[in-house]
Structure formats: structure tokens, C-alpha cells
Amino acid sequence: MENGTSNGSGHGPAGDEPEGLFSRDLLTSLAWGDYADRFRPAISPEQPGDGLLLRPLQRADYDKGFLTLLGQLTQVGDISREAFLKRYEGMARCPDTYYPVVVEDEVKGQVVGAATLVVEQKFIHNCAVRGRLEDVVVSDDYRGKQLGKLLIAVINLLAKKLHCYKITLDCKDIMIPFYSKMGYTNENGRANYMTIRYD
């Protein structure tokens, strides 16, 4: 895994632009052959589409519509730049934990897709790590370009590269067929998702 540094190669809270919250090298070194045949026309982490760039989340994404994009997925709230940067820095201080990936339309300077891998450290399985796929969203204007599939495949491969013993997600029932096509399964006896929400 990447170690937290402040020279642009890891999760360091200072000097890590333009890399972002983690090193982009993690994304460009994925074993894409595992997924390449699922994309027609062909796209990849290095070539996500004309004018598009797949990369880690950056501080500057506050001004590139990242929060507006998340608003297409769920309630976000009125988050100030200060609050965004505080949360960003908090994530940066937790090395090897948060891996938010975005797709940017470089022509428009807008974030048009996003997904996050959260890596949880465990005592079980010989102090293994487990991955969670979170906050997958693609802008309404960019549907049909396979970006959702691309983001999920990237997160899956990233979890594997970081030696997660498994990766899980929560989704609405209507999305189960979509995630099933990307390799996710409902496990017997574990198909129910339960929660307590705090206001």
C-alpha cells in the first residue's frame, strides 16, 4: 500500500497536488486485463473516453462540481470550501484508508463521475483489510458512456491490489442486477441490509 507522505506520492496533507488524495500511479498500474473484455467500445483507467481523465480526488474538485455531482446520488448539504478542505485533510491524515476516484471532463473542467474505496483495518483474518465500495455516481449528462462500470471495475481492482480480503457494497434492490454483472453476489444468509440512522 501507499504510505502517507507529503511529496505528492501518497496521502500527505500538504503538497500532494496535482496527484490528489492518493497516488495516481495506483490507478494506472491496475491489472486491467481482468476487465478489458467487458467494455465495448474499449475504455480503460488510462483512456476513459475523449476528453476524460480518471484520477484521485483533489482539493480543486470543490470548484469542479464534485459536491454537486454527489447531490445526484444523495443529500449533500450546503458545504463551504472550508468544510470541504477540512474533511479532505482529515481523510489525508488517515493513510491507506480513503481512495476517492473521480472522472473529470477536462474540456469543461467538471467532475462527472465518482466512486470511493474505503479500506477498513481488521483484526480478523490475520489482521486483514476489507474494502467497501461507496458513493458511486455518474452525472446524468454522461450516462451511457460506461463510466459507472469503469469506476466500479477500478475500485474492484484497487481493492484487490491493496490486498483486501473482500469488498462489499450496499445498494437498492433495483441495482442488484447491475452490480451482479460486475462480479458482486448476494451471499446466502447475508442478503439483508440493516441499519440505524441517526439524525
Side-chain angles (χ1 to χ4, degrees):
M1 289 189 210
E2 294 292 309
N3 294 320
T5 65
S6 60
N7 63 3
S9 61
H11 288 76
D16 63 345
E17 300 294 327
E19 284 284 358
L21 203 55
F22 62 95
S23 174
R24 187 166 181 263
D25 291 343
L26 277 176
L27 302 178
T28 57
S29 63
L30 297 175
W32 189 244
D34 293 354
Y35 280 94
D37 62 350
R38 300 190 189 199
F39 292 87
R40 295 288 182 269
I43 59 174
S44 70
E46 293 186 35
Q47 299 291 332
D50 291 341
L52 301 178
L53 174 68
L54 186 138
R55 58 168 175 77
L57 180 73
Q58 299 175 358
R59 291 178 184 85
D61 291 333
Y62 180 84
D63 295 313
K64 294 184 177 182
F66 174 67
L67 297 177
T68 301
L69 176 67
L70 289 180
Q72 294 185 24
L73 177 67
T74 190
Q75 180 180 353
V76 176
D78 186 13
I79 299 176
S80 68
R81 181 189 304 276
E82 180 183 14
F84 174 83
L85 293 176
K86 183 177 180 180
R87 179 50 45 90
Y88 183 101
E89 299 299 345
M91 289 180 169
R93 286 191 295 271
C94 299
D96 309 322
T97 304
Y98 297 102
Y99 297 87
V101 177
V102 301
V103 176
E104 179 186 355
D105 183 325
E106 293 189 286
V107 177
K108 296 181 179 179
Q110 291 291 306
V111 173
V112 300
T116 297
L117 171 66
V118 180
V119 177
E120 179 185 1
Q121 299 183 47
K122 311 286 281 187
F123 285 108
I124 61 174
H125 299 294
N126 295 310
C127 292
V129 292
R130 166 241 179 112
R132 287 187 56 84
L133 172 61
E134 298 280 355
D135 302 336
V136 180
V137 60
V138 174
S139 170
D140 293 338
D141 297 332
Y142 289 77
R143 300 284 168 84
K145 297 181 181 293
Q146 307 182 98
L147 296 181
K149 284 174 54 180
L150 176 67
L151 285 161
I152 294 163
V154 164
I155 295 295
N156 292 352
L157 291 172
L158 184 56
K160 184 177 180 180
K161 185 178 182 69
L162 296 174
H163 308 293
C164 294
Y165 74 93
K166 71 177 179 179
I167 184 170
T168 61
L169 61 82
D170 299 313
C171 70
K172 296 178 180 177
D173 290 348
I174 195 172
M175 295 300 296
I176 290 174
F178 174 71
Y179 284 108
S180 295
K181 291 178 182 177
M182 298 303 293
Y184 289 85
T185 60
N186 289 105
E187 296 183 0
N188 289 334
R190 297 183 178 184
N192 293 323
Y193 169 64
M194 301 180 74
T195 186
I196 297 175
R197 291 189 181 270
Y198 300 101
D199 294 330

PDB file of all heavy atoms in Angstrom, residues 141-165:
ATOM      1  N   ASP A 141     -25.716  13.734 -17.434  1.00  0.00           N
ATOM      2  CA  ASP A 141     -25.316  14.108 -18.788  1.00  0.00           C
ATOM      3  C   ASP A 141     -24.285  13.167 -19.398  1.00  0.00           C
ATOM      4  O   ASP A 141     -23.954  13.298 -20.576  1.00  0.00           O
ATOM      5  CB  ASP A 141     -24.748  15.533 -18.796  1.00  0.00           C
ATOM      6  CG  ASP A 141     -25.782  16.567 -18.385  1.00  0.00           C
ATOM      7  OD1 ASP A 141     -26.992  16.323 -18.596  1.00  0.00           O
ATOM      8  OD2 ASP A 141     -25.388  17.617 -17.842  1.00  0.00           O
ATOM      9  N   TYR A 142     -23.754  12.240 -18.592  1.00  0.00           N
ATOM     10  CA  TYR A 142     -22.686  11.354 -19.074  1.00  0.00           C
ATOM     11  C   TYR A 142     -23.081   9.884 -18.980  1.00  0.00           C
ATOM     12  O   TYR A 142     -22.220   9.009 -19.070  1.00  0.00           O
ATOM     13  CB  TYR A 142     -21.392  11.615 -18.295  1.00  0.00           C
ATOM     14  CG  TYR A 142     -20.771  12.939 -18.647  1.00  0.00           C
ATOM     15  CD1 TYR A 142     -21.291  14.125 -18.143  1.00  0.00           C
ATOM     16  CD2 TYR A 142     -19.690  13.022 -19.516  1.00  0.00           C
ATOM     17  CE1 TYR A 142     -20.747  15.350 -18.473  1.00  0.00           C
ATOM     18  CE2 TYR A 142     -19.132  14.242 -19.856  1.00  0.00           C
ATOM     19  CZ  TYR A 142     -19.669  15.403 -19.329  1.00  0.00           C
ATOM     20  OH  TYR A 142     -19.116  16.617 -19.677  1.00  0.00           O
ATOM     21  N   ARG A 143     -24.365   9.626 -18.836  1.00  0.00           N
ATOM     22  CA  ARG A 143     -24.832   8.234 -18.807  1.00  0.00           C
ATOM     23  C   ARG A 143     -24.647   7.617 -20.190  1.00  0.00           C
ATOM     24  O   ARG A 143     -24.682   8.300 -21.204  1.00  0.00           O
ATOM     25  CB  ARG A 143     -26.305   8.181 -18.391  1.00  0.00           C
ATOM     26  CG  ARG A 143     -26.590   8.770 -17.015  1.00  0.00           C
ATOM     27  CD  ARG A 143     -26.161   7.837 -15.882  1.00  0.00           C
ATOM     28  NE  ARG A 143     -26.159   8.497 -14.584  1.00  0.00           N
ATOM     29  CZ  ARG A 143     -27.219   8.643 -13.819  1.00  0.00           C
ATOM     30  NH1 ARG A 143     -28.395   8.203 -14.231  1.00  0.00           N
ATOM     31  NH2 ARG A 143     -27.105   9.225 -12.644  1.00  0.00           N
ATOM     32  N   GLY A 144     -24.469   6.308 -20.211  1.00  0.00           N
ATOM     33  CA  GLY A 144     -24.314   5.603 -21.478  1.00  0.00           C
ATOM     34  C   GLY A 144     -22.899   5.579 -22.012  1.00  0.00           C
ATOM     35  O   GLY A 144     -22.652   5.077 -23.104  1.00  0.00           O
ATOM     36  N   LYS A 145     -21.934   6.092 -21.231  1.00  0.00           N
ATOM     37  CA  LYS A 145     -20.532   6.097 -21.654  1.00  0.00           C
ATOM     38  C   LYS A 145     -19.711   5.057 -20.888  1.00  0.00           C
ATOM     39  O   LYS A 145     -18.478   5.086 -20.925  1.00  0.00           O
ATOM     40  CB  LYS A 145     -19.930   7.495 -21.458  1.00  0.00           C
ATOM     41  CG  LYS A 145     -20.598   8.570 -22.297  1.00  0.00           C
ATOM     42  CD  LYS A 145     -19.937   9.929 -22.078  1.00  0.00           C
ATOM     43  CE  LYS A 145     -20.622  11.022 -22.893  1.00  0.00           C
ATOM     44  NZ  LYS A 145     -20.424  10.833 -24.336  1.00  0.00           N
ATOM     45  N   GLN A 146     -20.395   4.152 -20.175  1.00  0.00           N
ATOM     46  CA  GLN A 146     -19.764   3.073 -19.413  1.00  0.00           C
ATOM     47  C   GLN A 146     -18.963   3.564 -18.218  1.00  0.00           C
ATOM     48  O   GLN A 146     -18.146   2.825 -17.664  1.00  0.00           O
ATOM     49  CB  GLN A 146     -18.846   2.220 -20.316  1.00  0.00           C
ATOM     50  CG  GLN A 146     -19.493   1.672 -21.570  1.00  0.00           C
ATOM     51  CD  GLN A 146     -18.527   0.816 -22.356  1.00  0.00           C
ATOM     52  OE1 GLN A 146     -18.548  -0.412 -22.247  1.00  0.00           O
ATOM     53  NE2 GLN A 146     -17.667   1.446 -23.126  1.00  0.00           N
ATOM     54  N   LEU A 147     -19.165   4.807 -17.796  1.00  0.00           N
ATOM     55  CA  LEU A 147     -18.348   5.360 -16.715  1.00  0.00           C
ATOM     56  C   LEU A 147     -18.665   4.718 -15.375  1.00  0.00           C
ATOM     57  O   LEU A 147     -17.763   4.545 -14.540  1.00  0.00           O
ATOM     58  CB  LEU A 147     -18.515   6.878 -16.644  1.00  0.00           C
ATOM     59  CG  LEU A 147     -18.029   7.659 -17.866  1.00  0.00           C
ATOM     60  CD1 LEU A 147     -18.223   9.158 -17.655  1.00  0.00           C
ATOM     61  CD2 LEU A 147     -16.560   7.343 -18.154  1.00  0.00           C
ATOM     62  N   GLY A 148     -19.929   4.359 -15.135  1.00  0.00           N
ATOM     63  CA  GLY A 148     -20.265   3.663 -13.902  1.00  0.00           C
ATOM     64  C   GLY A 148     -19.551   2.323 -13.813  1.00  0.00           C
ATOM     65  O   GLY A 148     -18.948   1.983 -12.791  1.00  0.00           O
ATOM     66  N   LYS A 149     -19.613   1.558 -14.895  1.00  0.00           N
ATOM     67  CA  LYS A 149     -18.900   0.281 -14.951  1.00  0.00           C
ATOM     68  C   LYS A 149     -17.401   0.480 -14.766  1.00  0.00           C
ATOM     69  O   LYS A 149     -16.742  -0.288 -14.060  1.00  0.00           O
ATOM     70  CB  LYS A 149     -19.157  -0.408 -16.297  1.00  0.00           C
ATOM     71  CG  LYS A 149     -20.497  -1.061 -16.445  1.00  0.00           C
ATOM     72  CD  LYS A 149     -20.719  -1.585 -17.859  1.00  0.00           C
ATOM     73  CE  LYS A 149     -19.614  -2.502 -18.331  1.00  0.00           C
ATOM     74  NZ  LYS A 149     -19.848  -3.007 -19.708  1.00  0.00           N
ATOM     75  N   LEU A 150     -16.859   1.502 -15.393  1.00  0.00           N
ATOM     76  CA  LEU A 150     -15.429   1.777 -15.294  1.00  0.00           C
ATOM     77  C   LEU A 150     -15.036   2.067 -13.852  1.00  0.00           C
ATOM     78  O   LEU A 150     -14.047   1.513 -13.337  1.00  0.00           O
ATOM     79  CB  LEU A 150     -15.058   2.957 -16.192  1.00  0.00           C
ATOM     80  CG  LEU A 150     -13.597   3.419 -16.118  1.00  0.00           C
ATOM     81  CD1 LEU A 150     -12.676   2.348 -16.678  1.00  0.00           C
ATOM     82  CD2 LEU A 150     -13.407   4.730 -16.858  1.00  0.00           C
ATOM     83  N   LEU A 151     -15.781   2.923 -13.184  1.00  0.00           N
ATOM     84  CA  LEU A 151     -15.462   3.277 -11.804  1.00  0.00           C
ATOM     85  C   LEU A 151     -15.534   2.059 -10.889  1.00  0.00           C
ATOM     86  O   LEU A 151     -14.664   1.859 -10.032  1.00  0.00           O
ATOM     87  CB  LEU A 151     -16.416   4.366 -11.318  1.00  0.00           C
ATOM     88  CG  LEU A 151     -16.134   5.763 -11.877  1.00  0.00           C
ATOM     89  CD1 LEU A 151     -17.365   6.660 -11.716  1.00  0.00           C
ATOM     90  CD2 LEU A 151     -14.920   6.388 -11.184  1.00  0.00           C
ATOM     91  N   ILE A 152     -16.550   1.224 -11.073  1.00  0.00           N
ATOM     92  CA  ILE A 152     -16.683   0.029 -10.239  1.00  0.00           C
ATOM     93  C   ILE A 152     -15.523  -0.934 -10.495  1.00  0.00           C
ATOM     94  O   ILE A 152     -14.934  -1.483  -9.560  1.00  0.00           O
ATOM     95  CB  ILE A 152     -18.029  -0.655 -10.486  1.00  0.00           C
ATOM     96  CG1 ILE A 152     -19.165   0.260 -10.019  1.00  0.00           C
ATOM     97  CG2 ILE A 152     -18.103  -2.000  -9.770  1.00  0.00           C
ATOM     98  CD1 ILE A 152     -20.509  -0.121 -10.558  1.00  0.00           C
ATOM     99  N   ALA A 153     -15.182  -1.140 -11.765  1.00  0.00           N
ATOM    100  CA  ALA A 153     -14.070  -2.026 -12.094  1.00  0.00           C
ATOM    101  C   ALA A 153     -12.768  -1.514 -11.491  1.00  0.00           C
ATOM    102  O   ALA A 153     -11.967  -2.286 -10.950  1.00  0.00           O
ATOM    103  CB  ALA A 153     -13.937  -2.149 -13.617  1.00  0.00           C
ATOM    104  N   VAL A 154     -12.548  -0.206 -11.556  1.00  0.00           N
ATOM    105  CA  VAL A 154     -11.333   0.385 -10.987  1.00  0.00           C
ATOM    106  C   VAL A 154     -11.286   0.162  -9.476  1.00  0.00           C
ATOM    107  O   VAL A 154     -10.250  -0.234  -8.925  1.00  0.00           O
ATOM    108  CB  VAL A 154     -11.260   1.883 -11.333  1.00  0.00           C
ATOM    109  CG1 VAL A 154     -10.245   2.604 -10.455  1.00  0.00           C
ATOM    110  CG2 VAL A 154     -10.903   2.063 -12.806  1.00  0.00           C
ATOM    111  N   ILE A 155     -12.404   0.394  -8.800  1.00  0.00           N
ATOM    112  CA  ILE A 155     -12.436   0.193  -7.352  1.00  0.00           C
ATOM    113  C   ILE A 155     -12.215  -1.277  -7.013  1.00  0.00           C
ATOM    114  O   ILE A 155     -11.476  -1.614  -6.071  1.00  0.00           O
ATOM    115  CB  ILE A 155     -13.764   0.698  -6.762  1.00  0.00           C
ATOM    116  CG1 ILE A 155     -13.886   2.217  -6.929  1.00  0.00           C
ATOM    117  CG2 ILE A 155     -13.889   0.287  -5.292  1.00  0.00           C
ATOM    118  CD1 ILE A 155     -12.871   3.042  -6.176  1.00  0.00           C
ATOM    119  N   ASN A 156     -12.836  -2.192  -7.765  1.00  0.00           N
ATOM    120  CA  ASN A 156     -12.641  -3.618  -7.527  1.00  0.00           C
ATOM    121  C   ASN A 156     -11.170  -4.006  -7.648  1.00  0.00           C
ATOM    122  O   ASN A 156     -10.625  -4.714  -6.802  1.00  0.00           O
ATOM    123  CB  ASN A 156     -13.460  -4.448  -8.517  1.00  0.00           C
ATOM    124  CG  ASN A 156     -14.947  -4.339  -8.304  1.00  0.00           C
ATOM    125  OD1 ASN A 156     -15.413  -3.764  -7.330  1.00  0.00           O
ATOM    126  ND2 ASN A 156     -15.703  -4.891  -9.237  1.00  0.00           N
ATOM    127  N   LEU A 157     -10.529  -3.541  -8.713  1.00  0.00           N
ATOM    128  CA  LEU A 157      -9.125  -3.870  -8.931  1.00  0.00           C
ATOM    129  C   LEU A 157      -8.219  -3.200  -7.909  1.00  0.00           C
ATOM    130  O   LEU A 157      -7.203  -3.767  -7.492  1.00  0.00           O
ATOM    131  CB  LEU A 157      -8.712  -3.467 -10.349  1.00  0.00           C
ATOM    132  CG  LEU A 157      -9.338  -4.299 -11.472  1.00  0.00           C
ATOM    133  CD1 LEU A 157      -9.016  -3.688 -12.830  1.00  0.00           C
ATOM    134  CD2 LEU A 157      -8.850  -5.745 -11.410  1.00  0.00           C
ATOM    135  N   LEU A 158      -8.586  -1.993  -7.506  1.00  0.00           N
ATOM    136  CA  LEU A 158      -7.798  -1.284  -6.497  1.00  0.00           C
ATOM    137  C   LEU A 158      -7.869  -2.035  -5.160  1.00  0.00           C
ATOM    138  O   LEU A 158      -6.855  -2.196  -4.473  1.00  0.00           O
ATOM    139  CB  LEU A 158      -8.322   0.146  -6.347  1.00  0.00           C
ATOM    140  CG  LEU A 158      -7.572   1.070  -5.398  1.00  0.00           C
ATOM    141  CD1 LEU A 158      -6.091   1.170  -5.763  1.00  0.00           C
ATOM    142  CD2 LEU A 158      -8.212   2.461  -5.405  1.00  0.00           C
ATOM    143  N   ALA A 159      -9.061  -2.512  -4.797  1.00  0.00           N
ATOM    144  CA  ALA A 159      -9.200  -3.290  -3.564  1.00  0.00           C
ATOM    145  C   ALA A 159      -8.343  -4.551  -3.619  1.00  0.00           C
ATOM    146  O   ALA A 159      -7.698  -4.928  -2.629  1.00  0.00           O
ATOM    147  CB  ALA A 159     -10.666  -3.651  -3.333  1.00  0.00           C
ATOM    148  N   LYS A 160      -8.329  -5.194  -4.769  1.00  0.00           N
ATOM    149  CA  LYS A 160      -7.507  -6.393  -4.931  1.00  0.00           C
ATOM    150  C   LYS A 160      -6.027  -6.053  -4.816  1.00  0.00           C
ATOM    151  O   LYS A 160      -5.269  -6.757  -4.138  1.00  0.00           O
ATOM    152  CB  LYS A 160      -7.804  -7.035  -6.295  1.00  0.00           C
ATOM    153  CG  LYS A 160      -7.082  -8.335  -6.544  1.00  0.00           C
ATOM    154  CD  LYS A 160      -7.501  -8.928  -7.882  1.00  0.00           C
ATOM    155  CE  LYS A 160      -6.795 -10.254  -8.159  1.00  0.00           C
ATOM    156  NZ  LYS A 160      -7.203 -10.825  -9.474  1.00  0.00           N
ATOM    157  N   LYS A 161      -5.623  -4.958  -5.440  1.00  0.00           N
ATOM    158  CA  LYS A 161      -4.215  -4.543  -5.396  1.00  0.00           C
ATOM    159  C   LYS A 161      -3.774  -4.202  -3.968  1.00  0.00           C
ATOM    160  O   LYS A 161      -2.621  -4.430  -3.591  1.00  0.00           O
ATOM    161  CB  LYS A 161      -4.004  -3.339  -6.314  1.00  0.00           C
ATOM    162  CG  LYS A 161      -2.555  -2.887  -6.442  1.00  0.00           C
ATOM    163  CD  LYS A 161      -2.439  -1.732  -7.413  1.00  0.00           C
ATOM    164  CE  LYS A 161      -0.984  -1.292  -7.582  1.00  0.00           C
ATOM    165  NZ  LYS A 161      -0.192  -2.320  -8.293  1.00  0.00           N
ATOM    166  N   LEU A 162      -4.697  -3.664  -3.179  1.00  0.00           N
ATOM    167  CA  LEU A 162      -4.381  -3.285  -1.804  1.00  0.00           C
ATOM    168  C   LEU A 162      -4.567  -4.442  -0.826  1.00  0.00           C
ATOM    169  O   LEU A 162      -4.533  -4.256   0.381  1.00  0.00           O
ATOM    170  CB  LEU A 162      -5.253  -2.098  -1.387  1.00  0.00           C
ATOM    171  CG  LEU A 162      -5.014  -0.813  -2.192  1.00  0.00           C
ATOM    172  CD1 LEU A 162      -6.023   0.258  -1.798  1.00  0.00           C
ATOM    173  CD2 LEU A 162      -3.588  -0.309  -2.012  1.00  0.00           C
ATOM    174  N   HIS A 163      -4.795  -5.642  -1.369  1.00  0.00           N
ATOM    175  CA  HIS A 163      -4.856  -6.886  -0.597  1.00  0.00           C
ATOM    176  C   HIS A 163      -6.064  -6.967   0.335  1.00  0.00           C
ATOM    177  O   HIS A 163      -5.986  -7.587   1.397  1.00  0.00           O
ATOM    178  CB  HIS A 163      -3.559  -7.097   0.191  1.00  0.00           C
ATOM    179  CG  HIS A 163      -2.321  -7.003  -0.648  1.00  0.00           C
ATOM    180  ND1 HIS A 163      -2.018  -7.925  -1.627  1.00  0.00           N
ATOM    181  CD2 HIS A 163      -1.327  -6.064  -0.686  1.00  0.00           C
ATOM    182  CE1 HIS A 163      -0.879  -7.585  -2.213  1.00  0.00           C
ATOM    183  NE2 HIS A 163      -0.457  -6.454  -1.667  1.00  0.00           N
ATOM    184  N   CYS A 164      -7.168  -6.360  -0.070  1.00  0.00           N
ATOM    185  CA  CYS A 164      -8.410  -6.544   0.687  1.00  0.00           C
ATOM    186  C   CYS A 164      -8.856  -7.998   0.543  1.00  0.00           C
ATOM    187  O   CYS A 164      -8.787  -8.560  -0.552  1.00  0.00           O
ATOM    188  CB  CYS A 164      -9.510  -5.628   0.158  1.00  0.00           C
ATOM    189  SG  CYS A 164      -9.193  -3.860   0.416  1.00  0.00           S
ATOM    190  N   TYR A 165      -9.319  -8.596   1.627  1.00  0.00           N
ATOM    191  CA  TYR A 165      -9.772  -9.985   1.521  1.00  0.00           C
ATOM    192  C   TYR A 165     -11.170 -10.065   0.943  1.00  0.00           C
ATOM    193  O   TYR A 165     -11.586 -11.119   0.460  1.00  0.00           O
ATOM    194  CB  TYR A 165      -9.679 -10.720   2.857  1.00  0.00           C
ATOM    195  CG  TYR A 165     -10.714 -10.346   3.894  1.00  0.00           C
ATOM    196  CD1 TYR A 165     -11.906 -11.059   3.997  1.00  0.00           C
ATOM    197  CD2 TYR A 165     -10.494  -9.303   4.786  1.00  0.00           C
ATOM    198  CE1 TYR A 165     -12.856 -10.741   4.959  1.00  0.00           C
ATOM    199  CE2 TYR A 165     -11.428  -8.977   5.747  1.00  0.00           C
ATOM    200  CZ  TYR A 165     -12.607  -9.686   5.833  1.00  0.00           C
ATOM    201  OH  TYR A 165     -13.543  -9.353   6.781  1.00  0.00           O
TER     202      TYR A 165
END
